[in-house]
Amino acid sequence: MRFRPCIDIHNGKVKQIVGGSLCDRGDAAEENFVSEQDAAWYAGFYEKDGLKGGHIIVLNAMHSPYYEESRRQALLALRAAPGSFQIGGGVTDANAGEYLDAGASHVIVTSFVFRGGEICRDNLRKLVQAVGEKRLVLDVSCRRKDGHYYIVTDRWQTFTDVALTPASLQMLSQYCAEFLVHGVDVEGKASGIEEDLVRLLASWGKIPITYAGGIGTMEHLQCMKTLGRDRLDVTIGSALDLFGGTLPYRDVLHVCSHGQSGSGSVGMQSGNHTKK
């Protein structure tokens, strides 16, 4: 199980939010943390630790007045650590190449592929033609409904009719190199992982999958490692001491690599912040 760092950008700031609270109206979100450091600072920090395969996510919609500033922050981060990060948020076949040229290892896509509640195969093929499946990550973040996990889009506000199942994962894996999966109902709450979702992902596990959502304690992290059969990678945001939380960053890295706690806190080198 590898630790994959995350840099979430909302309204031009590096933030950690409660995932299900994101709303396009007024660019509102329930904030756990707002950093005074820019996205490039975090990219450089993670690169010094040799971490690869993390994700940078622009959380504003393309029509938002904050979108360009959030995108500018994302590009700064990519250029600060070329080849180290994937990027998502408003990615299409038209702009994917720009992000790769700026230093992204992969592009992450949701809404361009899942349109009108369905898989838009034409757009999926356009993306593969533009960047190749080896540089494409599909974000299949999901929420529970009627006993199943359904892929959600538009910054997790819109349900699709696509359930996350071994069959749908198998079909989609033909077009991409990896999956990114947020358990949206627990994202940012540090209240525990979506255990059924983790079991589902681990039971399939044929290409790299990064799971996010709900890890708030070392016990949660160990549960993730066990239920995920060490097949899934993990990202943690709000709970990390880097983002005002209580989980020591260095201990998290050690558990992901070796299975037990290590040497302690990173010392909150991230500078001034607001925790709400």
Side-chain angles (χ1 to χ4, degrees):
M1 182 171 75
R2 288 192 299 162
F3 176 77
R4 304 274 200 119
C6 63
I7 304 173
D8 294 342
I9 306 169
H10 182 247
N11 295 358
K13 297 282 189 179
V14 175
K15 292 185 181 180
Q16 289 295 320
I17 67 167
V18 177
S21 72
L22 195 60
C23 181
D24 286 346
R25 185 184 297 274
D27 292 292
E30 183 180 340
E31 298 167 345
N32 286 327
F33 175 93
V34 182
S35 181
E36 293 185 5
Q37 301 288 353
D38 67 8
W41 186 93
Y42 285 95
F45 177 87
Y46 289 129
E47 187 180 47
K48 288 176 184 176
D49 280 340
L51 297 177
K52 302 288 185 182
H55 55 273
I56 299 167
I57 304 293
V58 176
L59 293 174
N60 292 103
M62 295 179 74
H63 57 73
S64 164
Y66 295 100
Y67 175 74
E68 285 302 326
E69 178 55 25
S70 292
R71 198 175 85 94
R72 187 184 73 84
Q73 283 288 318
L75 290 168
L76 286 173
L78 290 175
R79 291 168 181 144
S84 295
F85 283 92
Q86 306 166 358
I87 185 167
V91 174
T92 70
D93 63 318
N95 62 19
E98 177 187 2
Y99 291 122
L100 296 179
D101 290 344
S105 64
H106 300 70
V107 291
I108 306 168
V109 183
T110 310
S111 298
F112 187 66
V113 168
F114 299 97
R115 290 286 177 98
E118 300 177 339
I119 300 170
C120 181
R121 293 177 185 268
D122 285 345
N123 283 355
L124 190 51
R125 283 190 285 266
K126 288 177 183 177
L127 279 164
V128 172
Q129 290 171 0
V131 303
E133 65 271 14
K134 291 183 179 180
R135 302 192 76 177
L136 178 60
V137 176
L138 289 179
D139 184 337
V140 291
S141 295
C142 55
R143 305 184 81 163
R144 192 190 285 270
K145 183 176 71 171
D146 300 328
H148 300 281
Y149 291 102
Y150 285 87
I151 296 171
V152 289
T153 65
D154 303 320
R155 291 151 306 284
W156 306 331
Q157 297 169 76
T158 304
F159 275 91
T160 71
D161 62 3
V162 183
L164 210 58
T165 65
S168 62
L169 289 168
Q170 183 66 35
M171 185 276 293
L172 291 168
S173 70
Q174 301 172 61
Y175 300 94
C176 65
E178 299 184 12
F179 291 121
L180 172 63
V181 188
H182 291 79
V184 176
D185 291 326
V186 298
E187 171 68 16
K189 296 181 180 180
S191 57
I193 64 173
E194 284 274 15
E195 294 187 7
D196 291 342
L197 176 59
V198 169
R199 289 189 186 96
L200 167 65
L201 297 173
S203 70
W204 183 77
K206 295 183 180 179
I207 64 174
I209 300 174
T210 299
Y211 169 87
I215 294 175
T217 67
M218 284 298 178
E219 289 74 19
H220 295 156
L221 186 60
Q222 292 287 0
C223 181
M224 170 72 200
K225 195 174 180 74
T226 301
L227 295 183
R229 306 184 194 177
D230 236 3
R231 294 179 176 178
L232 307 179
D233 293 338
V234 66
T235 188
I236 304 173
S238 302
L240 280 184
D241 57 0
L242 272 177
F243 298 114
T246 59
L247 282 183
Y249 166 72
R250 299 290 175 198
D251 281 3
V252 167
L253 293 189
H254 194 83
V255 168
C256 288
S257 299
H258 304 290
Q260 58 186 2
S261 295
S263 59
S265 173
V266 73
M268 286 308 299
Q269 300 175 63
S270 56
N272 295 329
H273 64 275
T274 302
K275 188 165 186 267
K276 299 184 178 182

